[in-house]
Amino acid sequence: MTDTAPRLLPAHESFLADFFDLEEPLLIWLDETTRDTRAGADDVYTLPAGLDGEAAHEAWGRIFAALPEGLRDERRTMLTGEEHATGNTVLGTDGYEYTPLYAVPVDQADVEVLVALLDHARKALAYEPGHADLHSLLDQAGEQYGNEGVDRTPENAEQVVARLARAVAVLQLQDDDTAALVAAVTAAGPDRRVQLTADQEQAAARYFDRLITATTEGKPAVERALARFVEFGDTGRPTGA
């Protein structure tokens, strides 16, 4: 039995970048390592007991497949600058436009698989027994990230794990505020306009404050300040306190 209740996901640039960047190379390498080990291949990384790289990649793939067209298009816009007309528009009571939000049917079991992967990755950073090869794989994945684009630089294992942690943290954001916002999003009409009530806007303010904290974890403080300015502007908007 699966639990695929709608989960709130944002068209937030940092979250989408973190989530999409998990697959190549990290999850693909973990998947290949598990497959090669099962096939009896030589010179293969020894993953910690209980870590199934194939299952982690498949869990990510199912979450990716559940993303609505609008959210995928938001990511393409960020990469190419090409505008699209498939996305949601989230408006406050005075017409203030927030980052678009989407209700996505994500299976809790798939999130838990990624949480378990994060736990193993953190144990690798702590050099716990049985995690040495995973640490090496994380280091090599960090080096590979530096070859992914002209604006990228090589990373270390800590940065790779921080990316995974940020993506997982957003996937785990579930509470009364997100439930209220899922209700608002699913009630939108064909024009995809999400008009928030006063209570829903307060929920949105609290949600975005937590989202910004999650997506800037491990980054310079100036990035968190900039993210809050971009989301809330300089209009003195409430932060949900």
Side-chain angles (χ1 to χ4, degrees), residues 87-191:
N88 291 348
T89 301
V90 178
L91 301 172
T93 54
D94 61 356
Y96 186 86
E97 187 170 342
Y98 290 93
T99 293
L101 297 170
Y102 296 83
V104 183
V106 173
D107 194 332
Q108 175 62 23
D110 289 331
V111 176
E112 290 172 358
V113 170
L114 296 183
V115 170
L117 170 60
L118 176 59
D119 181 61
H120 280 293
R122 285 173 168 160
K123 289 178 179 178
L125 293 184
Y127 294 97
E128 292 197 15
H131 289 73
D133 279 6
L134 177 57
H135 194 291
S136 297
L137 188 149
L138 292 169
D139 270 329
Q140 292 198 16
E143 293 178 7
Q144 182 63 28
Y145 278 122
N147 299 323
E148 294 298 314
V150 294
D151 297 327
R152 302 292 291 270
T153 57
E155 299 179 0
N156 56 34
E158 287 78 6
Q159 290 170 302
V160 174
V161 177
R163 175 184 291 105
L164 173 60
R166 291 192 298 266
V168 167
V170 175
L171 290 171
Q172 288 185 297
L173 285 176
Q174 280 191 295
D175 54 23
D176 290 343
D177 288 336
T178 58
L181 294 171
V182 165
V185 169
T186 55
D191 62 357

Side-chain angles (χ1 to χ4, degrees), residues 9-13 15-16 70-71 74 78 99-102:
L9 293 182
H12 188 280
E13 184 172 5
F15 164 65
L16 292 177
L71 197 50
E74 296 278 6
M78 293 170 190
T99 293
L101 297 170
Y102 296 83

